[in-house]
Amino acid sequence: MTAIETLSTHDTDHAQLHTILHAQQAAFRAAPMPSLEQRLQALKALKGALLKNKQALCEALSRDYGRRSHQDTLIADILPCVAQLNYTRKHLKKWMKPSRRHSGLMLVPAKVEVIYQPLGVVGIIVPWNFPVMLSLGPLITALAAGNRAMIKLSEFTPATNQVLRKMLADLFTPEEVAVIEGEADVAAAFSALPFDHLLFTGSTQVGRHVMRAAADNLTPVTLELGGKSPALIAPDMPIPLAVERLIYGKSLNAGQICVAPDYVLVPEDKRDEFVAEYQQQFQAMYPKGVASEDYTSVVNARQYERLTRWLAEAEQQGATVLPCHPDARDDQGHRMITHLVLETRDNMQLMQEEIFGPLLPVIPYSDLETTLATLRRQPRPLAMYLMSFDTALQQQVKTTTHAGGMCINDTVFHVAADDAPFGGIGASGMGHYHGKEGFLTFSKAKTVLSRGKFSTGKLITPPYGGWLQKLMLAFFLR
């Protein structure tokens, strides 16, 4: 194993990060524009390796979590990557094609086009909640755009990292794709490297540190953060249907999703109906509570302790906590089913911070317009969910509230739209990837003006004041 192949969890020599980066930069300079065929071949190979390793990845993620539903991994980690690979391979030729632009009368005769060049070396910082999708997803886009990549995996998913590292090492040289592991100090050093672009997925708090470190190198960043994504149930929406549409988005991966519904706003006269319906539907999905094979654990003891601490704090301040199943917690196995939290206060920790787990505050409201005004004053979340069939209300919420993305009468599935950008706004992030927008994020759109033997540029050079220049200025300054 050479010095540039990988950093193990125990090897935190920051100098190696620069060695890997310099090797990739040199390789990029030697081959700065991979062909369409080369890119397609890389994507094809990656798809084959992913399908070959899907069972190993499911088992590894379950080991990392203590228990993680294989179905959760297949649906939320493996399937999105396969779909993205298929979509990208189908459209890449069109994306790479230079686009013709109008030169305008003032520049005639000239040809203007925009070409899409790879940026160079892309850094990808991966969180623990979906380590396959959130490492390979950005990698797919980076490779499609012709870049090389360094991937910093989370220290909280060591078994999954081992599978990913071997899979990628079998496909790519270290000068093409390099996998980095290590603790927080390695992540900090990684974010301070002079990448050509840096993509970070994680918390808003850490995102600020990443952007600050990148600023020293003027490294452009794409930040996929999170925030408190609301689910608003309008008065016209039947409660059973509303619960059906949002419960999966909160149950998948035990709510450890950046776009999971963080809290629910429900008409005050329907709050109790919502609680009863949610508990009933949850028990139908997970009849054994925390013992259900289909239910995923909280990732580790640290995150579990955070959630239980927030619950205890809320109860001490007067909140009512209602588990959705009698078998609600397994402290030793850090497993917790969804807990509905009523009578919350704004100063509670779970109302201040993104929950990122199986806690769901249920907040009644009496006036819809007041509620919408309150939402507009909040930090802009990564997702907004509206449950309503009122088309006028749908249009109002779509156009007057801000969020990274939105679902109407559903949750989380907008992330799976291959032909649409994904990204936050404000405190929930900046920039986009997925689909064509991802290709553009990891490319330099360079304008190229070409002239032949004749150029009108000579007509405007000094000495100034000739009759032809005066005529031209009079014409264009109308």
Side-chain angles (χ1 to χ4, degrees):
M1 184 177 294
T2 66
I4 65 170
E5 286 183 6
T6 185
L7 281 176
S8 72
T9 305
H10 306 290
D11 185 355
T12 56
D13 182 359
H14 298 173
Q16 283 190 317
L17 292 173
H18 291 274
T19 300
I20 298 168
L21 177 62
H22 294 158
Q24 290 204 353
Q25 289 172 330
F28 177 76
R29 288 191 294 270
M33 192 67 171
S35 68
L36 171 64
E37 291 72 23
Q38 289 172 314
R39 302 183 200 191
L40 290 175
Q41 181 57 42
L43 297 176
K44 180 181 179 180
L46 183 55
K47 177 184 175 181
L50 180 58
L51 292 175
K52 179 181 177 181
N53 285 277
K54 65 180 186 294
Q55 184 62 27
L57 288 166
C58 287
E59 293 171 357
L61 265 167
S62 192
R63 287 196 301 275
D64 285 329
Y65 272 69
R67 180 189 294 169
R68 196 195 205 218
S69 164
H70 284 202
Q71 200 73 3
D72 278 5
T73 298
L74 289 172
I75 291 174
D77 265 301
I78 309 297
L79 180 58
C81 291
V82 173
Q84 184 183 351
L85 282 160
N86 292 338
Y87 181 84
T88 301
R89 291 171 63 201
K90 179 179 179 181
H91 294 275
L92 183 55
K93 181 178 181 179
K94 180 172 61 177
W95 297 344
M96 288 178 62
K97 184 178 180 181
S99 59
R100 292 291 298 271
R101 304 298 174 94
H102 296 290
S103 61
L105 184 60
M106 191 169 64
L107 296 178
V108 170
K111 182 179 96 172
V112 176
E113 62 180 346
V114 176
I115 65 170
Y116 301 94
Q117 290 181 286
L119 294 175
V121 180
V122 173
I124 301 168
I125 302 179
V126 184
W128 50 260
N129 61 324
F130 293 106
V132 179
M133 181 184 73
L134 295 176
S135 59
L136 299 187
L139 176 63
I140 291 165
T141 309
L143 293 174
N147 298 285
R148 285 137 200 280
M150 292 172 62
I151 305 172
K152 167 60 179 73
L153 297 175
S154 170
E155 65 270 30
F156 299 122
T157 56
T160 306
N161 296 355
Q162 185 176 359
V163 178
L164 285 172
R165 185 173 64 243
K166 183 179 185 309
M167 184 183 85
L168 293 173
D170 289 343
L171 294 177
F172 303 105
T173 68
E175 292 82 8
E176 294 171 325
V177 178
V179 172
I180 311 299
E181 292 184 80
E183 303 290 335
D185 63 322
V186 175
F190 186 92
S191 63
L193 293 173
F195 291 111
D196 297 292
H197 196 97
L198 178 61
L199 185 145
F200 168 80
T201 304
S203 70
T204 301
Q205 180 181 4
V206 178
R208 291 189 176 97
H209 294 296
V210 169
M211 188 171 182
R212 194 173 296 117
D216 287 338
N217 299 309
L218 295 180
T219 297
V221 295
T222 297
L223 302 178
E224 299 301 345
L225 308 178
K228 299 188 72 62
S229 298
L232 173 60
I233 301 176
D236 72 287
M237 187 69 173
I239 291 298
L241 184 57
V243 171
E244 176 188 313
R245 297 295 175 85
L246 70 84
I247 193 169
Y248 180 72
K250 189 65 178 181
S251 301
L252 178 66
N253 207 38
Q256 298 166 110
I257 312 175
C258 57
V259 292
D262 194 89
Y263 61 97
V264 177
L265 298 160
V266 61
E268 60 182 3
D269 61 341
K270 295 182 177 181
R271 189 199 71 170
D272 292 345
E273 181 188 358
F274 175 87
V275 169
E277 184 65 34
Y278 199 103
Q279 291 175 319
Q280 179 181 333
Q281 290 197 29
F282 186 92
Q283 292 176 27
M285 292 170 64
Y286 306 103
K288 295 182 180 179
V290 291
S292 299
E293 291 292 330
D294 292 335
Y295 196 71
T296 292
S297 301
V298 176
V299 66
N300 55 36
R302 173 182 169 185
Q303 293 296 325
Y304 185 81
E305 189 276 333
R306 173 184 64 84
L307 293 166
T308 55
R309 186 176 70 251
W310 288 7
L311 268 185
E313 178 207 58
E315 285 188 297
Q316 289 170 4
Q317 296 186 33
T320 300
V321 176
L322 300 174
C324 287
H325 191 282
D327 190 2
R329 283 171 54 172
D330 173 3
D331 294 343
Q332 185 174 358
H334 46 87
R335 291 172 62 75
M336 175 190 295
I337 56 95
T338 303
H339 287 60
L340 305 179
V341 187
L342 313 181
E343 286 92 39
T344 59
R345 298 180 183 178
D346 289 344
N347 63 343
M348 293 175 178
Q349 195 76 29
L350 57 74
M351 294 306 298
Q352 292 289 319
E353 305 287 340
E354 181 183 5
I355 291 173
F356 217 74
L359 313 181
L360 184 62
V362 181
I363 303 171
Y365 69 87
S366 57
D367 182 76
L368 186 57
E369 289 301 323
T370 301
T371 299
L372 289 173
T374 300
L375 288 175
R376 287 191 286 268
R377 290 194 295 269
Q378 302 299 320
R380 294 169 174 180
L382 190 54
M384 165 75 189
Y385 302 118
L386 173 65
M387 304 294 166
S388 175
F389 294 106
D390 182 333
T391 55
L393 178 61
Q394 291 176 357
Q395 182 65 16
Q396 179 187 3
V397 176
K398 276 194 298 185
T399 57
T400 65
T401 63
H402 282 83
M406 183 176 177
C407 284
I408 297 175
N409 301 324
D410 216 331
T411 55
V412 309
F413 285 107
H414 65 292
V415 180
D418 294 317
D419 192 31
F422 175 72
I425 177 174
S428 62
M430 63 179 65
H432 297 95
Y433 73 115
H434 291 196
K436 182 177 181 179
E437 280 78 8
F439 175 85
L440 295 175
T441 291
F442 292 139
S443 300
K444 168 56 185 172
K446 185 167 76 177
T447 297
V448 179
L449 182 144
S450 303
R451 291 197 187 272
K453 294 182 178 180
F454 176 74
S455 171
T456 54
K458 184 65 177 175
L459 301 177
I460 62 170
T461 58
Y464 295 133
W467 69 269
L468 186 54
Q469 288 181 344
K470 292 178 180 179
L471 183 63
M472 289 175 59
L473 286 173
F475 180 80
F476 286 110
L477 293 178
R478 291 177 296 167

